[in-house]
Amino acid sequence: RKGVFGPPVGKKMILIIDDLNMPAKEEYGAQPPIELIRQWFDHQSWYDRKTFEVRTIIDVIMVGVMGPPGGGRVALTNRVMRHYNFLAFTEMATRSLHMIFSTIMSTWIQASFGQHPKIAEYNALTDKVVSATAHVYKTVLKELLPTPAKSHYTFNLRDLAKTFQGVLMGDTKRLTEPEDVVRLWIHECNRVFADRLINKDDHAWFLELITSQVSTRFSLEYADLVPGRLMFGDYIVPGAEPRLYQQVEDFDKLVKTMEEYLDDYNASTTKKMSLVMFLDAIEHVSRICRIIRTPLGNALLLGVGGSGRQSLTRLAAFIADYKCFSIEITKGYGKVEWREDLKKCLKTAGIENQSIVFLFTDTQIVKESFMEDINAVLNSGDVPNIYGNDEIEAIGGVMRPILQAAGQPQTKSALYSAYLQRVQSNLHVVLAMSPVGDAFRTRLRMYPAMVTCCSLDWFSEWPEEALLAVAQQKLSDIEFETPEIRQGVYDVCKVIHSGVSDMSQQYLVEMGRHNHVTPTSYL
């Protein structure tokens, strides 16, 4: 019938709108996108903006999904809400969590250690690891609440799942004792929960929580298990295949390996990076490597300018043997150029089946619509209406033989769905943002996927050993009269920077004003 649209006759279409309460209110308190949806509910139609004809839409069921209002999330108007039937999802019960993750954990233990003489001890770990992780998750959820300074302190079940995903990545040949599995579990809890913490007090609180769980659940002493730094990674043996996720034991050798990786990177590119590989920087590289080695592994790196977020991401992508893509902002760069760049990136992951890291910083947000597209990519691997018909045909041409070989139906939607799965497993979005100011807090509220779909890494201030190492490298070419004077100059650089940093804290307490001291100013 003319002017009537809908799915094929006899079928219904379910339209799911995620984050229904995301649209911001305009100056009179309405939410224009929501009013558009309400118009369809009330009249079953919309008007064509060009011809002004009525378009009637039939046989569509609307499903809205949203977080409960409050905490920055907007409440929807009753004029829309009256059209919906409500379903509230309460938090998953501990028993259900236990059942899901116990099944995953026990299957992995049986497959990995079934022939091990200590299999009974490994089996006993299942209950302990699951209970301890659930307790840590529930405690963190209750105690570490978001505040204006800690707006990224939001945790969900994905964080719990990431902990187990990390444990299951471990190289089972190296986990020769049950204690090794506990050590790996401690490392994964630190990566998932502790890496986003912003100050020493929160870190000390979390360490106490983990220490108490290790002693009560596993009857072990934390200090015996983790005498110093604890790092796991798949980069210890350059060029190894398969790449095994194992504990780093020799840190001097690790520093040399990272310097070799850096030399290889500089030899392969025209944009050379002059980095000082101190242990804190290497730890950040290790964290980024861990995130991007997993499917759906996206990262949100938080730190002030010059803290090394972009350089370390490029190095991590090189270590993982992934392509690293970043946009170039020029004078006339707008939405069209952005969409082309984004499309190029998505096609590399989906059509060419190549692993790629898309590095995007807050200084590159020319238009706020860029963040909307990033939010969509993080959620589903897709941006609405980004591909033309010819490009969708090309995608179908690439995916058809793959589905045919797998014996799956080759409908248009199945081909596109397989393509999106490929994009999500190959594309790793790394967002480098500064947590200073209101802009970051507003973005977190408006684009929830930045936290829910990303692993976070907080870049703290550089430690004194780093300041010293940077001074030594930058001033190594200068002639000094005596070694004592040389060392004195290095120490003065470190002391001045640390002193200004400490005084800035005092200035904030006494005067209520910020003075940001960044590594860029030190360099």
Side-chain angles (χ1 to χ4, degrees), residues 410-449:
Q410 293 127 56
T411 61
K412 205 170 182 180
S413 60
L415 291 169
Y416 195 62
S417 171
Y419 167 76
L420 290 185
Q421 274 181 330
R422 217 173 180 191
V423 169
Q424 283 189 297
S425 63
N426 282 331
L427 175 65
H428 304 279
V429 178
V430 178
L431 302 173
M433 303 227 162
S434 167
V436 177
D438 289 338
F440 172 68
R441 285 200 292 275
T442 309
R443 286 194 184 114
L444 274 196
R445 205 171 60 236
M446 288 173 66
Y447 311 112

Side-chain angles (χ1 to χ4, degrees), residues 183 186-187 190 207 222-231 247-249 251 279 283:
R183 201 175 285 115
I186 291 170
H187 175 265
N190 279 324
L207 179 62
Y222 182 89
D224 299 340
L225 282 172
V226 189
R229 277 181 195 266
L230 180 61
M231 281 167 74
Q247 188 180 351
V248 177
E249 284 160 3
F251 287 102
L279 278 173
E283 202 160 349

Side-chain angles (χ1 to χ4, degrees), residues 123-404:
N123 278 333
L125 283 177
T126 300
D127 258 5
K128 294 173 181 174
V129 167
V130 174
S131 306
T133 314
H135 179 82
V136 168
Y137 169 67
K138 292 269 164 109
T139 311
V140 162
L141 208 58
K142 194 167 76 191
E143 299 289 335
L144 295 181
L145 298 169
T147 65
K150 307 170 183 177
S151 49
H152 58 285
Y153 276 27
T154 51
F155 302 89
N156 59 31
L157 280 175
R158 281 185 184 146
D159 297 312
L160 191 59
K162 280 176 196 165
T163 311
F164 288 97
Q165 185 185 24
V167 172
L168 268 54
M169 286 194 302
D171 175 21
T172 49
K173 291 188 179 70
R174 297 292 180 114
L175 303 172
T176 50
E177 295 290 325
E179 287 79 12
D180 297 332
V181 178
V182 179
R183 201 175 285 115
L184 175 57
W185 172 79
I186 291 170
H187 175 265
E188 295 310 312
C189 283
N190 279 324
R191 295 293 71 79
V192 172
F193 299 110
D195 280 355
R196 73 179 70 193
L197 305 182
I198 68 170
N199 55 35
K200 287 176 182 167
D201 295 345
D202 287 352
H203 276 284
W205 175 87
F206 187 77
L207 179 62
E208 200 178 305
L209 174 64
I210 291 287
T211 308
S212 70
Q213 287 303 302
V214 169
S215 59
T216 54
R217 308 266 181 191
F218 302 100
S219 308
L220 295 166
E221 285 303 315
Y222 182 89
D224 299 340
L225 282 172
V226 189
R229 277 181 195 266
L230 180 61
M231 281 167 74
F232 279 77
D234 63 354
Y235 42 74
I236 300 161
V237 183
E241 203 57 53
R243 302 169 76 95
L244 302 173
Y245 190 66
Q246 59 200 41
Q247 188 180 351
V248 177
E249 284 160 3
D250 185 346
F251 287 102
D252 292 334
K253 186 184 169 194
L254 175 67
V255 173
K256 287 192 179 71
T257 307
M258 283 293 170
E259 283 169 351
E260 283 168 21
Y261 276 128
L262 182 61
D263 292 342
D264 292 346
Y265 174 86
N266 285 335
S268 68
T269 180
T270 50
K271 293 181 179 175
K272 292 182 167 38
M273 297 193 298
S274 169
L275 300 178
V276 181
M277 299 314 290
F278 52 90
L279 278 173
D280 277 51
I282 291 172
E283 202 160 349
H284 284 297
V285 173
S286 176
R287 291 171 189 179
I288 299 166
C289 283
R290 174 189 167 278
I291 294 166
I292 63 177
R293 84 187 294 271
T294 58
L296 303 175
N298 304 303
L300 173 60
L301 312 179
L302 298 174
V304 290
S307 49
R309 298 160 306 172
Q310 294 183 60
S311 312
L312 299 182
T313 301
R314 288 196 172 90
L315 181 58
F318 177 77
I319 291 170
D321 204 13
Y322 292 175
K323 200 171 166 182
C324 187
F325 178 80
S326 187
I327 63 172
E328 293 285 336
I329 299 291
T330 52
K331 193 181 176 190
Y333 195 90
K335 192 165 183 178
V336 177
E337 293 79 8
W338 159 254
R339 284 280 172 107
E340 281 306 312
D341 279 342
L342 193 55
K343 210 187 294 183
K344 198 190 302 175
C345 200
L346 295 172
K347 282 180 175 176
T348 304
I351 293 179
E352 296 172 28
N353 200 19
Q354 274 187 22
S355 294
I356 181 168
V357 171
F358 180 38
L359 175 60
F360 186 68
T361 70
D362 50 3
T363 53
Q364 294 171 331
I365 304 174
V366 178
K367 290 187 165 64
E368 209 54 40
S369 61
F370 291 9
M371 277 312 301
E372 287 175 23
D373 292 346
I374 290 282
N375 192 66
V377 169
L378 289 171
N379 264 323
S380 61
D382 189 23
V383 177
N385 309 323
I386 194 169
Y387 302 111
N389 288 337
D390 53 333
E391 289 165 321
I392 288 178
E393 284 298 318
I395 288 166
V398 171
M399 300 311 295
R400 194 167 279 111
I402 296 162
L403 291 191
Q404 208 166 0

